[in-house]
Amino acid sequence: MKNKKLRLGLPRALFYYYYAPWWETFWQALGVEVVVSPPTNKEIMDLGVSLAVAEACLPVKIYYGHTAWLAGQVDVLFVPRLVSVEKKSFICPKLMGLPDMLRAAVKPCPPIIDTVINCVRQPQEGLAAAVEDMAGRVGFRGREVQSAREAAQERYLCWLERQQMGRANGATDLTSASAAGAAVSETGKPGLIDSAPAQAGSLKVGLVGHAYLIHDRFLSMDIPAKVKKMGGEITLPENLPPDQIALACRQLPKRLFWTLGQKIMGSVLSLIEQDSIAGIIHLTAFGCGPDSLVGDLAERYARRRGTPFLLLTIDEHTGEAGVNTRLEAFMDMLPRRYSA
Amino acid sequence: MKVTFPHMGNVWVILKTFLAGMGLEVIVPPPCTRRTLEIGVRQAPESACLPLKVNLGNFLEAKSLGADTIVMAGGVGPCRIGYYAQIQREILQDMGCDYEMIVLEPPDVHLSEVWDKLKYLKRRPWRKVLQGFILAWYKACAVDALEQEVMALRPLEAKPGLVDALYRKAILQIDAAGSKRQLRKIVRETVAEMVALPRQREYPILRIGVVGEIYTVLEPMVNLNLEKRLGAMGVEVVRKLFISRWINDNLFKGILPLPSHHAEKLAPPFLNHFVGGHGWESVGDTVAFARQGLDGVIQLAPLTCMPEIVAHSVMPAVQQATGLPVMTIYLDEQTGEAGLQTRLEAFFDMLQWQKGKRTG
Ligand code: SF4
Ligand code: SF4
């Protein structure tokens, strides 16, 4: 295995948008060739839609598409079983079954590295076990793994920091040059969601939702750029300090046990406290389980505060024209409400 | 304090006994109807799962009977049920509907959380509370014993509906019963009456397993009386989801020697991890049914139900490995009787044809 480089496929979907720098750095440090699927396009979406059950949410279907795209070109696929990435919190039941779902649908399917990532009880131990398992699957143990992990962690933290300042976009600008060849150049710098201050007088709008929707420009239809063109200035959950989000969530009568739900709820709760925020847009996938409750709660709180709230639900049939119309109507309404 | 709770099939009999045993005045919500569902749907988030909507309807209907406190189950992840109560509370608040909510769920921080809530609720000494709990448990067992008979006898009866009439009568008797002895008698006598009914056949035409999300399996209003429909077609329904077994698995941690799902043994290699709700069990039960030689499996789930979407997604692999046909039915407020009936009949025809091929 160590003579010829192992080709490992990393689907550019779902949690790639949260952990890409970590995963890529780690695998590369172990001498694995990482192949990332190209940014979502029509072909990948159609592939995913044809393979997944109709009732699945769009992000999961998209994941099927990326996996199928990679299946013929790699030796193994990395599809971690993401149970929990922090104490007492979960992500989504669907991600707990994802590797099995893919095995049942993608034919032929290369072996899947389906490391369980479960930090729900003991985060440190959970993470250590996951790292050990990942490395063990490609035949590594001990010191090398440790240094790979450190390198991954460092790159990840640096990326998080840049993201908070509005400089990095859903991992795309950090995608390694070695991997996926053409795929990288397609994304590159122009993909940045630039949330740096725009011209004076622009309306500040919060855009909340899962990173794998917002930062996938095909899925989100580039809503951030659209809002900007309509004179808005976007704030994303990733731009807010994590402790501010956690603090805002503490006002809920019951702790929210979904990691992504916390991000959405906490962002909305802290944004509606800021007088400079004119309105909030929630981008969600049709049929998303956690969002159906969290989004409703967020909207209720926003409404009680009098902050305009736009819910944009997307699936594979969503047309760009419809989204544009709704965005325009929303943006048009803001200044009037805002100055009133 | 007048307490109410959400409906799920016959579970009301058990909950009512338990709460009354605590010395509480219990308001059983009116039975679930399409109206209950409609009221709930009007107020609930559009893409929330079906049980949340119907429960909300139950609360609103119980309100008009004077209930002021809700006792319900919750959870701490990974699935939506753990946040039902919070959403329902906010909805009721926005509607100006005043309710106190007491959510019994695994403790988040301190073990004493559940205890404190029970202490707050109880109006009688612990000894009495325990007696009520034990009686409730026996009622759960009685209800389930009857359900099993009903599922086996429906496909055989000459005049569809007679078994169900006896069953309905017995549920009311179980509700009124006050001792284990009485319960035994009710079950014994009812079963004897059912068995004595005239038959049109000695064996069911087909045997179909039902798996899926617990609420859609146990609440006939949302599954549009699926088991009764199948029974009338001559199908014996087999399932592993029963409320007494659920209580044993979840509250007693499987201490009693009742049949259980054993998803951890049966579901792999198709599904190798718990996925919330009953997703893992759905896959494990399907494998068990294949081994038992059933003719087919129907999986039930609320539309957008996450654990069941996972289970549904791996079912092709189970089917391929076992040869057992599986049909998945998603239910929501739009599901119509005609559509459901057509799908059931088509599945029935397919299974019968397959069985004919098998037995030559
Ligand atoms: S969180 Fe929502 S969008 Fe993400 S996988 Fe789960 S259901 Fe789909
Ligand atoms: S198991 Fe299904 S119905 Fe139950 S809370 Fe989860 S998604 Fe909703």
Side-chain angles (χ1 to χ4, degrees), chain A:
Chain A
M1 206 174 277
K2 284 179 197 168
N3 331 346
K4 193 182 157 286
K5 263 199 173 186
L6 184 77
R7 282 170 68 84
L8 175 136
L10 198 53
R12 189 191 297 268
L14 290 175
F15 268 62
Y16 179 84
Y17 288 96
Y18 288 99
Y19 293 124
W22 206 108
W23 290 342
E24 287 180 15
T25 314
F26 181 77
W27 289 119
Q28 280 162 0
L30 293 181
V32 169
E33 183 185 342
V34 177
V35 184
V36 183
S37 52
T40 309
N41 53 39
K42 179 92 175 38
E43 179 199 341
I44 287 180
M45 179 172 88
D46 290 346
L47 198 56
V49 169
S50 71
L51 288 170
V53 299
E55 289 76 9
C57 54
L58 186 56
V60 163
K61 289 178 181 167
I62 293 291
Y63 198 93
Y64 273 69
H66 283 272
T67 311
W69 189 92
L70 285 166
Q73 328 197 3
V74 295
D75 304 315
V76 287
L77 281 166
F78 179 54
V79 183
R81 197 185 293 279
L82 283 157
V83 177
S84 157
V85 294
E86 57 182 338
K87 197 167 183 184
K88 286 190 184 177
S89 290
F90 295 90
I91 296 170
C92 169
K94 286 181 201 164
L95 301 194
M96 296 162 84
L98 198 56
D100 302 308
M101 293 160 74
L102 292 169
R103 279 193 202 104
V106 178
K107 305 272 156 108
C109 189
I112 290 180
I113 298 183
D114 60 351
T115 301
V116 177
I117 299 180
N118 187 350
C119 298
V120 80
R121 291 221 177 84
Q122 293 160 314
Q124 291 303 327
E125 286 80 348
L127 185 60
V131 169
E132 199 180 310
D133 183 82
M134 280 165 71
R137 304 275 190 116
V138 291
F140 281 93
R141 289 216 245 127
R143 184 97 52 79
E144 277 161 308
V145 180
Q146 200 49 40
S147 59
R149 179 180 167 175
E150 276 157 21
Q153 186 71 14
E154 198 188 304
R155 180 122 177 261
Y156 173 66
L157 289 179
C158 145
W159 172 79
L160 274 189
E161 203 174 306
R162 293 187 353 125
Q163 214 181 24
Q164 221 186 83
M165 298 185 307
R167 295 269 174 275
N169 161 31
T172 44
D173 69 323
L174 269 180
T175 308
S176 53
S178 65
V184 178
S185 56
E186 272 176 49
T187 54
K189 307 289 183 246
L192 278 180
I193 291 179
D194 186 3
S195 41
Q199 68 276 35
S202 63
L203 285 165
K204 283 181 87 175
V205 178
L207 174 61
V208 298
H210 302 160
Y212 48 79
L213 276 180
I214 294 181
H215 294 290
D216 185 323
R217 296 173 70 200
F218 183 81
L219 293 188
S220 71
M221 301 173 194
D222 232 346
I223 287 174
K226 288 192 163 96
V227 171
K228 218 170 159 192
K229 222 180 280 163
M230 297 172 193
E233 185 191 324
I234 290 280
T235 303
L236 300 169
E238 288 82 29
N239 304 138
L240 299 173
D243 31 332
Q244 181 181 330
I245 290 179
L247 190 71
C249 275
R250 244 176 259 155
Q251 60 181 280
L252 295 173
K254 177 176 176 176
R255 196 176 58 82
L256 248 181
F257 49 73
W258 291 301
T259 297
L260 302 187
Q262 277 242 9
K263 280 201 182 45
I264 291 174
M265 196 67 210
S267 306
V268 171
L269 288 177
S270 57
L271 289 174
I272 57 177
E273 291 300 321
Q274 298 173 18
D275 289 331
S276 57
I277 292 289
I280 291 174
I281 302 170
H282 179 201
L283 183 66
T284 184
F286 179 78
C288 171
D291 272 11
S292 71
L293 303 190
V294 175
D296 180 77
L297 207 56
E299 188 169 352
R300 264 172 216 280
Y301 279 79
R303 211 183 320 131
R304 288 177 195 162
R305 268 297 303 234
T307 310
F309 194 97
L310 174 68
L311 177 69
L312 281 179
T313 309
I314 54 166
D315 66 9
E316 57 269 36
H317 310 297
T318 306
E320 191 158 1
V323 170
N324 288 348
T325 316
R326 297 199 54 207
L327 265 182
E328 266 161 33
F330 183 71
M331 293 300 290
D332 277 353
M333 175 199 73
L334 290 185
R336 265 177 282 132
R337 299 236 355 187
Y338 194 49
S339 51

Side-chain angles (χ1 to χ4, degrees), chain B residues 25 28 35 79 84 96 101 120 134 137-139 146 195 207 211 214 228 238 273 280 286 296 301 308 310 317 340 360:
Chain B
E25 188 178 337
V28 178
R35 179 175 170 269
C79 216
Y84 272 19
M101 289 179 101
Y120 171 75
I134 294 173
W137 165 251
Y138 286 134
K139 288 192 179 181
L146 271 183
V195 171
R207 295 173 73 217
V211 302
I214 188 166
K228 221 161 130 183
V238 182
H273 201 278
W280 211 18
T286 303
E308 297 303 329
V310 174
L340 181 77

